[in-house]
Amino acid sequence: MPAYRPEEIEKKWQAHWKTHKTFEVSNSSDKPKYYVLDMFPYPSGAGLHVGHPLGYIASDIVSRFKRLQGFNVLHPMGFDSFGLPAEQYAIQTGQHPEKTTRENIQRYIEQLSSLGFSYDWSREIRTSDSSYYKWTQWIFLKLFNSWYNLETNRAENIRTLQDIFGEKGSAGVRAAGDADERHDFTAGQWQMMTEKQRIDAVHPYRLAYQSDTYVNWCAALGTVLSNDEVKDGLSERGGYPVERRLMPQWNLRITAYADRLLQGLDTIDWPEPVKEMQRNWIGRSVGAEVTFPLQNAPQQGIKVYTTRVDTIYGATFMVLAPEHELAAQLTTLEQKEAVEAYVLASKRRSERDRMADTKTVSGVFTGSYAINPVSGEPVPVWLADYVLAGYGTGAVMAVPSGDQRDYLFAKHFDLPIIAVTDAQQNLDQQADSTKEGRYINSELINGLTYKEATDKLIAWLEEHNLGKGKVNFRLRDAIFGRQRYWGEPLPIYYKEGLAYGVAEADLPIVLPEIDEYKPTETGEPPLGRAQDWKYRGKFDFELSTMPGWAGSSWYYLRYMDPHNDERFVSEEAEQYWQTVDLYMGGAEHATGHLLYSRFWYLFLKDLGLVSGNEPFQKLINQGMILGRSNFVYRINGTNKFVSLGKKDQYETTALHVDISIVENDFMNMEAFRRWRPDFADAEFITEDDGRYLCGWEVEKMSKNRFNVANPDELISRYGADTLRLYEMFLGPLEQFKPWNTSGMSGVSSFLKKLWRLFHPEDGQLAVTDEAATPAELKALHKAIKKAQEDIERFSFNTSVSTFMIAVNELTALNCHKRAILEPLTVIISPYAPHLAEELWAELGHEPGSITNAQFPVFEEKYLEEASIDYPISFNGKMRGKMTFAAAAVAADIEREVLASEIFEKFSEGKAAKKVIVVPGRMVNVVV
């Protein structure tokens, strides 16, 4: 056998796995099940860089390890293939998004396969396939035809609500949602309603409903964007202006599940920071809803929600969101120009920017006043963009003595600051939110404690019909519509202006062909371009499509039964696999995908369609692999570049340079000239040795920074097993880690050293059937113990170190014994599966069978020492060593030490005053 050649071995075993369907798994087995899931990727045109596979390698190691432990392992892969990038590329090139998406997916499959992942490719799904999104549409219809019954604390079919209306009318119905949007009627009135009136009455109760909602509208892209897609008032893709706009949108009533989403976090094994992010995003608070009557229209009022109703006497002004529905009505003629300018500026800022900007103080007075309901004092009404229309009531009672943001606002605009307790301090410098002390300047509650004051005020407000106690959530209903083409069509049609769900039998509603992928000339979404696209030939379809997170909210269920045409997942498959045991993915999805997936799962649970309580039992967030960027320094106003060592002599601008033309920070200047046309005539001021030295920095790996390391090139050079091991070796999985390609050579050398345990210098297989020595067994069982412990606690980097130590020890022992090398091959196989398969077959096993081998059993006895070397000290100074049986007792050790040559030599003829024996460690003689 020649030397270790990964390029041959890896292609061979990848072909074998594919041909023999090695990793295909059944939905029934006598083995225990284990479901390992990766967050499936969006297939971009750039393909994978070395940062992407980090989590995939870790999950593959766990999958292979669990198979070796006797589990029936489901480890699938698919593609989140709807999305804005493909649509934007289609707009630019005219190519159908499906074509570019299909090509990108093929590239991803080739790259993922080249890394040797043990995916069951027979279960591959793509969210843009109509056979898949048929069921996404089906789930949406279930949401559309459901309401949330607070009496039963679960979702129910809308028919049960209609039955209640027929029997009792709307009185007494406890449903999740905004009661202000609903109408009151009796059972008799319900019976007399027309179809249109009944649909209008039911619509505000649905879990999928349409309403006017403030959204991030990007005119240049012609679509609504999520908060994640907006940065500093510009679209993340393209950098186009984004403004807040009130538009009719489809929403999902995730707020109905707020409490259950909170409670469920206590039952799952997720990173605490992710759970805390979800808790904060959901934002449960106990407080009161209070109405401040308008001074000039007492029959109207401004509702606020506050968690500190006890401070209401200190509310010296009110702040409304610029988009508040009463903003225009409250604006006086004198303030109109200033208010309109402020509202316009606010529209250009995203909600995220407004929430994050705690330093800027801005606002505008409307010119109107409300009345403090408990003190009767007039309160000026202001607009400020730190209040959001979509959160709470879109209005706050501002208490500058108790809230720092209100305090800064009051200081900036010279508004009153009133102390409300005798414990507040330093109000001339900052707000003090203490709940200690007794209330002052608060007529109704003067002298009371916090709890006494809160209870008394809520009772008083409820008695006077000016407020009530209320549990509130920061969480808002999820906007579900996008004015895009490349997404799932919403299964909604319109008849006489009313929204109806299509019949389930008519699913899927397939995305139609259109001539261009941008909005129509009249401002309709791209689907408005579809010719003759009507439901049953006569009713207009909804022209919005679903957001990107729709298909990803339930894909883990489809993997269980991906080819089922009759059901989104069969009962048998769902009950067998139940929930995901290990989910690997990024923490950036904490308040998006991970929250929406839990919401959809709880909803399906209410309908009796799934059997678990949470979709993902354990979550691990892999860290990011950072790129090592290189920089060149262009002398300003020229096309001349100065080397790092001399750049301080000139005024320069640093530019990223492609790391592929840089080695050890020295750049190939001719390659640089060929790299970009504008650099073809570049001149260089070099170091004294004639070389160009680049600057460097560790930062996020990105095409824009030209610091992306291509896994294809590294696999070609070193092999996939080397790349797999090296990515794990970089450091703890959850941490950010800098990439340095030069480190791969060390891992490559390790694998060659492992190969030579089986194939010494002449290259022939030299494995013997000799009995293993205690030293060899000790080296092996240390590795078995550590490898199993490390995988079980997901500490993969320390496992790689363990393998290296074991191979070094066995090499030093000149070990070529089957009894040692066979189990060693098995424990290394999850990390370096191609090499392990090759060695396993050479050892005489059926080709490809290491997947079904058994993980070796650790035996403690092989780690027990027969004897121990004791350092012997005299008056604290080590003078030599003596060897004793591991089982030797202190008295025997003391006797032998006192009779030894070491004692005779170093006691200097003196008697021992004391002999201290530390069992298993050392001996100290005091003379």
Side-chain angles (χ1 to χ4, degrees):
M1 181 75 185
Y4 170 51
R5 290 195 173 91
E7 68 277 8
E8 297 175 9
I9 290 173
E10 290 172 359
K11 287 185 174 65
K12 168 185 172 181
W13 289 108
Q14 287 163 16
H16 179 95
W17 296 331
K18 184 176 181 180
T19 301
H20 292 82
K21 302 179 180 179
T22 302
F23 306 116
E24 288 192 16
V25 61
S26 169
N27 283 347
S28 61
S29 173
D30 293 333
K31 299 178 180 179
K33 72 92 183 179
Y34 197 82
Y35 185 176
V36 183
L37 182 65
D38 296 308
M39 286 188 186
F40 63 170
Y42 172 79
S44 74
L48 298 174
H49 62 62
V50 295
H52 293 128
L54 181 68
Y56 301 158
I57 295 169
S59 65
D60 194 62
I61 289 169
V62 174
S63 298
R64 290 176 178 274
F65 171 69
K66 287 294 181 180
R67 290 189 190 96
L68 295 172
Q69 285 194 314
F71 285 84
N72 187 35
V73 178
L74 175 58
H75 187 38
M77 176 50 74
F79 300 94
D80 193 8
S81 48
F82 274 132
L84 185 56
E87 182 160 340
Q88 285 304 110
Y89 188 73
I91 292 172
Q92 295 163 10
T93 66
Q95 282 193 358
H96 197 291
E98 193 277 332
K99 179 179 183 296
T100 54
T101 299
R102 184 177 67 252
E103 292 169 352
N104 293 345
I105 287 175
Q106 186 55 41
R107 170 90 173 109
Y108 267 64
I109 290 174
E110 290 170 359
Q111 288 189 294
L112 292 168
S113 298
S114 73
L115 281 156
F117 296 136
S118 58
Y119 292 130
D120 180 352
W121 283 108
S122 71
R123 295 173 182 260
E124 179 202 344
I125 59 172
R126 303 178 184 188
T127 58
S128 57
D129 283 352
S130 59
S131 61
Y132 177 84
Y133 69 69
K134 164 186 177 178
W135 298 107
T136 309
Q137 292 173 335
W138 180 83
I139 295 172
F140 175 84
L141 286 176
K142 295 295 183 187
L143 286 158
F144 179 73
N145 290 315
S146 297
W147 67 296
Y148 199 91
N149 189 341
L150 293 175
E151 293 290 349
T152 60
N153 199 30
R154 65 183 182 89
E156 296 179 4
N157 190 284
I158 209 76
R159 288 192 299 270
T160 63
L161 178 66
Q162 293 168 327
D163 290 343
I164 294 172
F165 288 163
E167 293 176 13
K168 305 175 183 178
S170 62
V173 171
R174 294 186 63 239
D178 190 348
D180 292 342
E181 297 175 357
R182 297 163 182 167
H183 309 296
D184 294 327
F185 49 84
T186 65
Q189 289 171 322
W190 170 261
Q191 300 295 345
M192 298 293 292
M193 285 183 186
T194 64
E195 179 188 22
K196 181 180 187 311
Q197 289 171 327
R198 287 189 177 187
I199 290 174
D200 281 341
V202 166
H203 188 78
Y205 291 85
R206 296 183 186 273
L207 289 182
Y209 65 96
Q210 201 174 29
S211 71
D212 287 340
T213 306
Y214 277 98
V215 296
N216 299 315
W217 172 252
C218 180
L221 296 177
T223 188
V224 168
L225 300 176
S226 69
N227 284 331
D228 291 337
E229 296 168 319
V230 181
K231 183 173 178 59
D232 299 327
L234 301 174
S235 63
E236 190 175 51
R237 175 160 289 270
Y240 301 113
V242 176
E243 68 174 55
R244 299 289 293 166
R245 181 181 290 187
L246 192 64
M247 296 178 65
Q249 285 292 322
W250 283 94
N251 299 268
L252 298 188
R253 206 178 297 279
I254 188 175
T255 49
Y257 288 84
D259 253 331
R260 289 167 64 184
L261 289 168
L262 272 178
Q263 293 163 11
L265 291 171
D266 296 329
T267 69
I268 50 182
D269 183 7
W270 285 20
E272 194 56 39
V274 174
K275 294 203 282 189
E276 195 59 26
M277 286 173 72
Q278 289 206 359
R279 289 188 186 104
N280 291 337
W281 192 262
I282 295 165
R284 186 180 192 274
S285 60
V286 179
E289 189 175 79
V290 183
T291 300
F292 282 65
L294 299 182
Q295 186 180 55
N296 296 329
Q299 71 280 6
Q300 287 184 274
I302 300 172
K303 282 187 178 179
V304 301
Y305 174 79
T306 176
T307 58
R308 293 294 305 274
V309 70
D310 58 298
T311 65
I312 194 168
Y313 281 95
T316 58
F317 60 100
M318 298 192 74
V319 181
L320 275 56
E323 310 90 345
H324 195 283
E325 59 184 5
L326 291 177
Q329 177 185 332
L330 290 169
T331 301
T332 62
L333 190 61
E334 295 79 9
Q335 292 297 110
K336 185 176 182 183
E337 184 177 350
V339 167
E340 288 179 349
Y342 188 80
V343 169
L344 182 61
S346 299
K347 284 183 178 180
R348 299 188 181 120
R349 303 186 72 200
S350 71
E351 284 190 353
R352 178 165 292 180
D353 290 341
R354 287 161 57 176
M355 291 171 68
D357 185 5
T358 58
K359 296 180 180 179
T360 305
V361 177
S362 71
V364 63
F365 180 43
T366 63
S368 293
Y369 292 81
I371 301 297
N372 186 313
V374 293
S375 70
E377 294 293 323
V379 177
V381 181
W382 289 68
L383 304 184
D385 65 5
Y386 74 85
V387 180
L388 304 176
Y391 287 76
T393 64
V396 298
M397 64 174 210
V399 182
S401 67
D403 180 274
Q404 186 62 20
R405 201 154 194 178
D406 295 344
Y407 181 90
L408 294 173
F409 193 93
K411 281 288 189 182
H412 187 80
F413 291 107
D414 196 24
L415 297 167
I417 300 173
I418 298 175
V420 291
T421 81
D422 57 14
Q424 288 178 307
Q425 298 179 358
N426 303 319
L427 292 182
D428 58 330
Q429 300 172 35
Q430 62 185 10
D432 184 350
S433 60
T434 182
K435 297 177 182 178
E436 304 301 321
R438 303 276 175 168
Y439 286 85
I440 59 174
N441 302 320
S442 306
E443 181 182 355
L444 193 63
I445 55 171
N446 277 337
L448 300 184
T449 63
Y450 165 73
K451 188 176 186 315
E452 293 168 343
T454 300
D455 292 344
K456 184 170 184 177
L457 281 169
I458 290 176
W460 188 91
L461 289 166
E462 289 178 346
E463 179 185 348
H464 291 82
N465 203 30
L466 288 167
K468 60 183 178 181
K470 186 178 182 181
V471 174
N472 203 31
F473 295 91
R474 186 180 295 116
L475 181 68
R476 299 295 93 199
D477 284 342
I479 299 172
F480 199 66
R482 297 289 187 269
Q483 287 63 51
R484 301 175 185 168
Y485 172 73
W486 192 233
E488 301 93 334
L490 283 160
I492 295 291
Y493 69 94
Y494 293 91
K495 183 173 72 173
E496 297 178 358
L498 298 176
Y500 291 80
V502 306
E504 290 181 8
D506 292 330
L507 296 178
I509 303 303
V510 177
L511 199 60
E513 296 288 337
I514 57 176
D515 58 351
E516 289 186 271
Y517 306 104
K518 57 186 180 181
T520 68
E521 287 70 17
T522 55
E524 292 178 313
L527 286 180
R529 296 179 177 276
Q531 297 295 313
D532 302 320
W533 190 55
K534 293 184 179 294
Y535 183 56
R536 296 185 175 175
K538 56 181 178 179
F539 300 114
D540 289 336
F541 277 116
E542 168 63 50
L543 298 181
S544 296
T545 52
M546 298 186 196
W549 55 266
S552 64
S553 291
W554 73 281
Y555 75 112
Y556 56 93
L557 293 167
R558 189 62 176 173
Y559 280 140
M560 299 177 185
D561 195 15
H563 308 298
N564 192 329
D565 294 329
E566 304 302 321
R567 208 170 185 273
F568 78 114
V569 57
S570 71
E571 291 184 44
E572 296 78 14
E574 191 280 329
Q575 288 172 6
Y576 177 73
W577 294 112
Q578 294 185 349
T579 57
V580 175
D581 296 286
L582 173 64
Y583 198 17
M584 194 80 68
E588 66 272 16
H589 299 290
T591 56
H593 159 67
L594 288 169
L595 190 62
Y596 297 139
S597 296
R598 296 180 61 222
F599 160 44
W600 279 42
Y601 192 83
L602 291 174
F603 169 69
L604 294 171
K605 172 80 171 178
D606 287 349
L607 270 54
L609 298 171
V610 293
S611 53
N613 293 316
E614 286 280 342
F616 315 123
Q617 299 309 304
K618 182 172 183 63
L619 173 72
I620 295 179
N621 300 135
Q622 78 274 13
M624 185 183 295
I625 289 183
L626 302 173
R628 192 177 190 276
S629 301
N630 281 116
F631 298 91
V632 292
Y633 301 94
R634 181 163 60 189
I635 299 174
N636 292 345
T638 74
N639 207 18
K640 184 177 288 187
F641 296 83
V642 59
S643 186
L644 175 65
K646 298 181 178 180
K647 78 176 183 68
D648 291 341
Q649 303 171 29
Y650 304 87
E651 289 187 6
T652 63
T653 299
L655 303 175
H656 283 89
V657 63
D658 195 326
I659 61 170
S660 67
I661 60 174
V662 179
E663 186 169 354
N664 294 327
D665 294 331
F666 288 99
M667 185 182 70
N668 183 322
M669 290 176 279
E670 285 306 312
F672 179 78
R673 290 188 177 104
R674 295 192 299 269
W675 177 45
R676 279 171 40 178
D678 52 324
F679 295 156
D681 60 349
E683 299 177 49
F684 300 96
I685 299 174
T686 65
E687 302 295 316
D688 292 340
D689 62 3
R691 295 189 295 173
Y692 188 97
L693 179 62
C694 295
W696 65 273
E697 184 178 329
V698 173
E699 53 187 347
K700 182 179 179 181
M701 202 172 276
S702 162
K703 287 189 304 176
N704 297 331
R705 297 180 176 91
F706 307 108
N707 65 351
V708 171
N710 189 326
D712 301 350
E713 296 171 6
L714 296 173
I715 290 170
S716 175
R717 184 175 176 184
Y718 296 101
D721 284 341
T722 297
L723 181 58
R724 289 169 63 109
L725 280 162
Y726 181 59
E727 292 217 8
M728 294 297 97
F729 189 52
L730 283 172
L733 182 64
E734 297 89 345
Q735 292 183 6
F736 281 32
K737 298 167 280 289
W739 178 264
N740 189 346
T741 300
S742 61
M744 289 190 66
S745 58
V747 175
S748 177
S749 297
F750 156 69
L751 289 179
K752 292 173 183 175
K753 199 168 190 177
L754 171 63
W755 177 265
R756 288 196 295 272
L757 287 176
F758 295 76
H759 310 88
E761 296 305 320
D762 62 3
Q764 298 302 311
L765 184 70
V767 177
T768 73
D769 290 324
E770 295 178 54
T773 66
E776 292 166 342
L777 287 166
K778 180 181 178 182
L780 171 67
H781 281 268
K782 281 194 301 182
I784 293 171
K785 180 176 188 288
K786 191 72 164 62
Q788 179 163 343
E789 290 174 349
D790 285 349
I791 294 179
E792 288 175 343
R793 65 173 188 262
F794 310 102
S795 180
F796 306 105
N797 59 311
T798 50
S799 279
V800 179
S801 301
T802 296
F803 299 148
M804 292 177 173
I805 292 168
V807 168
N808 285 339
E809 290 178 346
L810 294 173
T811 299
L813 293 167
N814 197 28
C815 175
H816 306 294
K817 299 170 182 175
R818 177 183 296 274
I820 300 297
L821 299 186
E822 195 166 87
L824 180 66
T825 303
V826 175
I827 66 171
I828 288 178
S829 67
Y831 292 79
H834 307 90
L835 177 55
E837 287 279 24
E838 184 71 16
L839 297 175
W840 191 248
E842 287 193 358
L843 288 169
H845 297 281
E846 182 183 349
S849 64
I850 198 169
T851 297
N852 299 313
Q854 182 178 350
F855 198 85
V857 176
F858 165 68
E859 295 187 57
E860 181 73 40
K861 64 182 180 182
Y862 294 120
L863 267 58
E864 294 174 356
E865 301 283 357
S867 61
I868 299 172
D869 289 335
Y870 278 77
I872 310 299
S873 297
F874 286 79
N875 294 337
K877 292 184 179 180
M878 208 271 280
R879 299 297 189 181
K881 290 185 178 182
M882 293 181 66
T883 301
F884 298 96
V889 297
D892 294 337
I893 293 172
E894 179 179 343
R895 185 174 60 253
E896 289 191 39
V897 168
L898 294 176
S900 69
E901 292 181 4
I902 292 178
F903 179 78
E904 184 178 346
K905 181 178 179 180
F906 292 102
S907 66
E908 300 176 352
K910 300 175 182 176
K913 293 181 179 179
K914 189 175 185 181
V915 179
I916 302 168
V917 179
V918 181
R921 297 288 303 281
M922 54 86 71
V923 177
N924 185 38
V925 181
V926 180
V927 295

